[in-house]
Amino acid sequence: MDVMEILKAYAEEIDVVIDDSLSKLEPESLYESSEYLIKAGGKKFRPALTLLSCQAVGGKPEKALKAAAAIELTHTFSLIHDDIMDNDDTRRGKPAVHKVWGEPLAILAGDSLFAKSFELLSQSAEDNIAYERVVDALQVLTNSCINICEGQALDMAFEDTFNVTKDEYMNMIYKKTGDLITASTTIGAIMGGASSNEIQALRTYGKQIGLAFQIQDDYIDLTGDESIGKPVGSDLVEGKKTLMVVYALEKANKEDHDRLVELLEANDESIIPEAMEILEKYGAINYARSKAYDCVIESKQALSILPDSDAKDALFKLADFVFTRKS
C-alpha cells in the first residue's frame, strides 16, 4: 500500500471511536463545534502512527484504537486553540471553528476535546490493557500536552525577537509539534506491550519524524502552491522565525542581516522575493532540507531493533512521506 492507502485504512475506524465519544456531548452546538474539524478531513497521520507502532511490536491494533483516537482529539484541540490565538480564518479549507461558532464556544470545544482525549485513553483498560500500561500512556499524553503549551508559548515569545538560535528553534518545534508525534508512537508501543528498548526505539522514531514534519511545513510554505490553502511565503510576511530564517540571520553579514530583519518586520507580501533571495544566498533553504532529511534517516535507523513486519515497512514509508509531502 502507498502512504495515503495506509492512512485511509485506519481513518474510518478512528472516526467511529471519536464520533461515539463526542456524540455524548451536550448541547448540540458543543457537539457540532467539537467534531467540526475532525469531519473536515485531515490525514489522521498521528493516530495511524499509534496503531502501526502497536502492530510493529506485536500488538493487535484494536487494542490501541482508543489511544489513537485520543491522540487525534488532542491534536484537534490544539488546532482549535491555535487558530483562536493566531486569529486564523480557515483550517482544512473551511472557516475556522471560532469563525463559525465564536471564540467562547470554540474554546469550550477545544477544552472538551482535551478532556475527551484523556477519557478515551483511560478507557483502554476496558480492552484488557494492563492498568500499568494505561497509566504509562496517560503520563506520556499528559507530558505531551504540557509541551504543546510550552511550545506555543515559546513560538509566541519568538515573535518579539530576532535572536533565536537553531537549538532554541528545534526545542520549540519539538514541543509544539514534534512531541505529540512522539507521544503517538510511544503510546502505540506501550499499548502493544513493547519492551523498554522497543518503546525507546519508537520514541526516537517519533521524535525525529516530528522534527522533520515541522521543518517540512516551513519548507512547503516557501516552495509550495496556494492550492494547499495557505499563501506561499506567508511565514515570511508574518515574520515567523523558521529554521531557514534563523539560519540565514546567523550566517548573514551585517547588511543582509539587518535588511532581512527589516523585511520580516514589514508585514507585507511585497517583501517575499527579496527575503527569499537572502535565504537562498546563505543556503538556508538547502540547510533546512538537509536537516529534515537527516532527521528522517535517524528515525529509520531507530527502527532497526524491531522485527520485520508490514507495520515496520509502513512506518518507513511514513517517514519518507514526511520528507516528500507537499501539503
Side-chain angles (χ1 to χ4, degrees):
M1 291 193 293
D2 66 22
V3 167
M4 299 314 295
E5 289 174 327
I6 292 169
L7 296 176
K8 187 177 179 181
Y10 296 111
E12 289 185 7
E13 291 179 284
I14 294 162
D15 283 341
V16 169
V17 176
I18 289 175
D19 189 60
D20 181 62
S21 176
L22 297 186
S23 65
K24 300 175 178 64
L25 287 172
E26 295 180 349
E28 187 73 12
S29 58
L30 182 60
Y31 165 62
E32 290 177 350
S33 57
S34 297
E35 70 161 1
Y36 174 75
L37 269 189
I38 294 165
K39 286 196 168 184
K43 301 180 181 71
K44 304 293 192 300
F45 176 72
R46 292 158 187 80
L49 286 173
T50 302
L51 298 177
L52 287 169
S53 296
C54 177
Q55 288 179 272
V57 298
K60 296 180 179 179
E62 57 266 27
K63 298 287 187 181
L65 259 177
K66 290 186 177 70
I71 290 289
E72 186 65 12
L73 291 183
T74 302
H75 176 54
T76 308
F77 127 75
S78 72
L79 297 181
I80 292 174
H81 282 195
D82 275 1
D83 287 345
I84 294 169
M85 285 182 278
D86 295 340
N87 197 29
D88 286 337
D89 292 336
T90 61
R91 172 71 67 172
R92 293 175 177 166
K94 294 189 173 184
V97 174
H98 68 282
K99 293 296 182 182
V100 179
W101 282 276
E103 287 189 9
L105 192 59
I107 291 169
L108 290 175
D111 291 346
S112 297
L113 294 175
F114 178 80
K116 283 288 184 180
S117 68
F118 285 92
E119 179 185 63
L120 266 178
L121 185 52
S122 67
Q123 289 172 350
S124 296
E126 299 171 1
D127 298 322
N128 296 317
I129 301 293
Y131 171 78
E132 293 81 4
R133 285 195 225 162
V134 176
V135 171
D136 287 346
L138 283 167
Q139 187 62 61
V140 171
L141 186 59
T142 300
N143 290 338
S144 184
C145 289
I146 292 169
N147 275 334
I148 288 170
C149 294
E150 291 181 348
Q152 177 69 7
L154 286 169
D155 195 19
M156 291 165 61
F158 289 172
E159 292 175 4
D160 299 322
T161 178
F162 286 93
N163 295 318
V164 180
T165 68
K166 294 195 295 292
D167 286 346
E168 288 171 336
Y169 169 86
M170 296 299 287
N171 178 55
M172 182 274 288
I173 66 166
Y174 172 69
K175 289 188 170 188
K176 183 177 178 180
T177 301
D179 193 62
L180 187 59
I181 293 176
T182 308
S184 304
T185 56
T186 305
I187 290 173
I190 291 170
M191 292 299 175
S195 68
S196 58
N197 285 341
E198 289 172 329
I199 291 172
Q200 183 56 48
L202 281 158
R203 180 181 290 121
T204 300
Y205 167 84
K207 177 179 180 178
Q208 294 304 319
I209 63 168
L211 292 171
F213 192 97
Q214 184 58 54
I215 296 170
Q216 181 66 9
D217 259 5
D218 296 344
Y219 174 78
I220 290 169
D221 177 79
L222 294 185
T223 62
D225 60 66
E226 297 193 7
S227 66
I228 65 174
K230 183 180 179 183
V232 174
S234 61
D235 284 351
L236 292 173
V237 176
E238 294 168 15
K240 289 190 176 181
K241 313 309 184 299
T242 65
L243 183 59
M244 290 165 282
V245 167
V246 169
Y247 182 86
L249 288 172
E250 181 182 282
K251 297 295 182 182
N253 60 37
K254 187 178 187 308
E255 181 182 354
D256 288 338
H257 176 283
D258 292 348
R259 180 54 179 162
L260 183 55
V261 168
E262 184 181 346
L263 293 169
L264 294 171
E265 289 180 329
N267 194 29
D268 190 305
E269 290 184 7
S270 65
I271 63 94
I272 293 174
E274 187 178 354
M276 284 287 289
E277 284 181 15
I278 296 174
L279 297 184
E280 289 171 351
K281 177 179 178 179
Y282 291 96
I285 298 173
N286 287 339
Y287 171 80
R289 285 292 282 167
S290 177
K291 185 69 175 177
Y293 180 76
D294 289 345
C295 289
V296 169
I297 294 300
E298 190 168 342
S299 75
K300 291 180 177 180
Q301 290 172 343
L303 298 181
S304 62
I305 72 163
L306 301 182
D308 291 338
S309 67
D310 289 342
K312 180 179 176 179
D313 290 342
L315 290 172
F316 271 96
K317 289 179 181 178
L318 287 176
D320 288 331
F321 167 73
V322 165
F323 183 72
T324 59
R325 67 194 176 91
K326 305 298 183 185
S327 65

